[in-house]
Structure formats: C-alpha cells, structure tokens
Amino acid sequence: MTDFLDQITWNEDGLLPAVAQDAESGRILMVAWMNREALKLTASEGRAVYWSRSRHKLWRKGEESGHIQRVREIRLDCDGDVIVLQVEQLGGIACHTGRESCFYRVLTAGQWHTVDPVLKDPGDIYS
C-alpha cells in the first residue's frame, strides 16, 4: 500500500498549502503550510500541525493561544497539491489578530474594509 504522503505533490520547498475550514459553518478560517511531518502529525493526532516558514519549525495551532484546531476531516484536491482541513476551532478564534478568521477584510470600491470584529485582544492572547 502506498503511503498517503507519497501521493501529495509537494512544492519545491517540500511544502503544501493547507486551508483550514470551520466544519460547521464552512467559513475559511486560515491558510498555512505543511511539510510531510506536519501532515503526518495532523493525521495521527487529530489536531492541526503546520510548518512555520518564518520560524522554520513545526507549529501546533493553539500551542501559545490555546485556540486549537481539532481536525474532523482532511481532503486533498484533484491535483494533489492543496489540502482542506475541516476543523473545530476551539475558542472560536483562528487569527492572531483575535478574530474568528484571517479573512476579515473585504474589497469594496477599490479599498479594503475590515468587516469582522476583534473577539479578543491579541495582547491578552499572546502575553
């Protein structure tokens, strides 16, 4: 049997974009990157584990904030180069800005407008 990790088309850096989607509402919460180890750990632990490109290390979502993503399902796209994680977002906050989603700005008349409120001050999350 082929290892599921070998069926992925990893980019030149050995990474794969991962879209985190709320399993109940369908809202896109965030996009991050995974390497082989992050995806393997995500699948085995049932918790989102990403690869931090800026810190060059594994990052368990919520390790500092407590806003863990419990993974309900992992889906691979038709080209094998993007995954979607259906997650339960603990605490209701996925974004480091203290919002539900990282996608909180909407383009209207050529300008970005913030449309989602800060649910918790980031200073209180990352103290």
Side-chain angles (χ1 to χ4, degrees):
M1 186 161 104
T2 305
D3 184 336
F4 74 94
L5 296 169
D6 294 333
Q7 297 175 33
I8 304 249
T9 305
W10 304 95
N11 74 9
E12 59 278 354
D13 297 319
L15 301 174
L16 169 80
V19 178
Q21 181 179 35
D22 186 283
E24 295 300 317
S25 71
R27 183 163 191 199
I28 302 300
L29 301 175
M30 57 178 278
V31 176
W33 294 89
M34 290 184 163
N35 62 8
R36 289 179 71 93
E37 185 178 6
L39 183 53
K40 185 175 182 178
L41 288 169
T42 296
S44 67
E45 294 179 9
R47 171 186 178 171
V49 180
Y50 300 108
W51 175 256
S52 172
R53 294 180 301 164
S54 60
R55 294 178 281 173
H56 304 290
K57 68 175 194 168
L58 291 173
W59 156 48
R60 283 175 169 77
K61 177 67 174 155
E63 65 190 3
E64 292 178 33
S65 67
H67 300 134
I68 294 166
Q69 292 176 343
R70 285 196 186 126
V71 177
R72 292 196 187 162
E73 184 176 72
I74 302 173
R75 289 182 176 242
L76 181 63
D77 81 325
C78 58
D79 294 323
D81 61 359
V82 177
I83 61 166
V84 173
L85 303 178
Q86 296 279 324
V87 302
E88 175 188 352
Q89 180 64 60
L90 301 186
I93 296 172
C95 186
H96 74 281
T97 66
R99 292 178 173 87
E100 175 188 14
S101 170
C102 294
F103 297 93
Y104 59 87
R105 294 177 279 196
V106 174
L107 184 63
T108 307
Q111 298 293 316
W112 292 110
H113 298 275
T114 298
V115 296
D116 293 348
V118 172
L119 302 176
K120 189 169 185 180
D121 185 299
D124 295 335
I125 297 171
Y126 303 102
S127 54

